[in-house]
Amino acid sequence: MSSGPETAAQHTVPQRIDRIKAVPVRHPGRWIGVVVIAVIVALIGQSVATNENFRWDIVWLYLRDVKIIQGVGWTLLLTVASMVLAIVLAILLAFMRQSDNPIFRWVSWFWVWFFRGTPVYTQLIFWGLFAVLYPKIAIGIPWGPELFSFNTQDYITGFLAALLGLGLNESAYLAEIFRAGLKSVDKGQIEAAEALGIRKAKVMWRIVLPQAMRIIVPPTGNETIGMLKTTSLVLAVPFTLELTFASNALANKTYLPIPFLLIAAFWYLLITSILMVGQHYIERYYGKGVDNLSPAPLRAPEQNV
């Protein structure tokens, strides 16, 4: 057997440990992809900038034309009004779909089935022809005197017809989004809140909706952006003040369709970008503590007096 000092020397741990020289993983495919994309972007940019058929002089000249700006305003107004109408109806339809009353459930189901199953363009044409189908609406006693009546042509204007066509169609899609958001909240929370004696309205407002909004906001934001672009179909009513019709009217006067298509695309992209920024902040607000976009607010512990 070896002596004690020799055994200790054999098991002595070296004082200096060499560091591992790690070689980073190379990704040549990434750099090749970057070069290919850069070349394609440069070619497209050079083509767009030098192609005289785009007529950039006409684009800059009419970009802030009065008719174009008015079209932007009417497009925004129609988008906001249609979404407000759709949201109000969608909330009502979502609650009806979850009601214990079978009549409410079937009415909500039929509404969603009908308006999602028919094209929005067809619905817009119908509302544009509503005054032809019903020139006069009267309210009175059946087979008796007439109490109230009005001519539909005096009230169903192009804007109102477009609003009804877009809003009613959109309500069917939002109703399913809201229903999915409400169903995402565990029923145990509702039952626990009701067991504590909290009113149903307060349970819905303070417990269910704050959690459901995290599911509701993203698709609703997408539907709002889609509504902005769907307003270009209201020519079917016809409603002739929105952006697409205004740009097409100027294009027909100048016989230059491409510059005015670029003008309309610019304004749609600008408004859509603003809506996307707003959607981002709303999502971050309702995703606190869940989506890791921002931390949940901390409350100081209450002190007993």
Side-chain angles (χ1 to χ4, degrees), residues 14-87:
Q15 298 296 324
R16 182 177 178 275
I17 300 177
D18 294 334
R19 295 181 178 180
I20 299 176
K21 297 181 180 180
V23 179
V25 179
R26 293 179 175 83
H27 301 281
R30 294 182 182 179
W31 292 105
I32 295 174
V34 169
V35 172
V36 171
I37 293 174
V39 171
I40 294 175
V41 171
L43 291 175
I44 294 175
Q46 187 269 342
S47 174
V48 171
T50 58
N51 192 337
E52 296 181 355
N53 294 325
F54 283 104
R55 296 300 303 269
W56 292 109
D57 56 331
I58 301 296
V59 173
W60 306 133
L61 179 62
Y62 284 92
L63 189 62
R64 294 178 295 176
D65 186 80
V66 175
K67 296 294 184 182
I68 296 295
I69 299 301
Q70 289 178 349
V72 172
W74 280 107
T75 297
L76 288 174
L77 178 60
L78 189 57
T79 300
V80 173
S82 300
M83 288 303 298
V84 169
L85 175 61
I87 289 173

Side-chain angles (χ1 to χ4, degrees), residues 249-300:
L250 292 173
N252 293 333
K253 289 182 179 180
T254 59
Y255 299 100
L256 296 171
I258 294 178
F260 292 97
L261 287 175
L262 295 175
I263 291 173
F266 168 81
W267 282 109
Y268 281 120
L269 283 173
L270 178 62
I271 300 171
T272 300
S273 302
I274 296 173
L275 292 176
M276 291 176 64
V277 172
Q279 177 183 348
H280 166 73
Y281 283 103
I282 296 175
E283 288 184 19
R284 189 171 69 172
Y285 175 79
Y286 285 106
K288 289 179 180 178
V290 178
D291 296 334
N292 296 324
L293 297 176
S294 57
L298 299 178
R299 294 184 178 179

Side-chain angles (χ1 to χ4, degrees), residues 93-282:
L93 291 168
F95 284 121
M96 290 174 62
R97 191 70 178 272
Q98 293 185 326
S99 173
D100 295 332
N101 191 325
I103 297 178
F104 286 170
R105 292 199 305 268
W106 279 103
V107 169
S108 176
W109 178 88
F110 179 82
W111 183 285
V112 173
W113 168 78
F114 178 80
F115 283 101
R116 285 203 311 176
T118 54
V120 62
Y121 192 81
T122 303
Q123 297 176 33
L124 288 170
I125 294 177
F126 170 82
W127 287 108
L129 298 175
F130 186 80
V132 177
L133 294 172
Y134 297 97
K136 181 180 179 181
I137 295 179
I139 299 175
I141 300 174
W143 300 285
E146 184 179 290
L147 302 178
F148 176 75
S149 65
F150 63 92
N151 294 324
T152 55
Q153 293 181 351
D154 299 333
Y155 295 93
I156 307 297
T157 61
F159 179 82
L160 182 57
L163 173 63
L164 292 173
L166 295 176
L168 298 183
N169 177 266
E170 185 62 32
S171 66
Y173 294 92
L174 290 182
E176 291 298 287
I177 293 173
F178 291 172
R179 185 174 67 90
L182 295 175
K183 292 186 67 175
S184 67
V185 181
D186 187 17
K187 290 184 178 180
Q189 300 186 38
I190 302 175
E191 295 173 355
E194 292 178 350
L196 294 174
I198 304 176
R199 298 190 308 270
K200 289 187 177 181
K202 193 172 183 179
V203 171
M204 183 61 62
W205 182 255
R206 298 297 298 274
I207 297 176
V208 177
L209 282 180
Q211 299 180 73
M213 289 298 289
R214 186 174 62 88
I215 307 298
I216 292 173
V217 168
T220 303
N222 294 336
E223 291 295 323
T224 304
I225 294 174
M227 175 65 72
L228 173 71
K229 295 178 290 186
T230 306
T231 56
S232 61
L233 299 178
V234 296
L235 175 63
V237 171
F239 181 69
T240 60
L241 297 177
E242 53 85 34
L243 177 59
T244 298
F245 187 90
S247 60
N248 288 339
L250 292 173
N252 293 333
K253 289 182 179 180
T254 59
Y255 299 100
L256 296 171
I258 294 178
F260 292 97
L261 287 175
L262 295 175
I263 291 173
F266 168 81
W267 282 109
Y268 281 120
L269 283 173
L270 178 62
I271 300 171
T272 300
S273 302
I274 296 173
L275 292 176
M276 291 176 64
V277 172
Q279 177 183 348
H280 166 73
Y281 283 103
I282 296 175

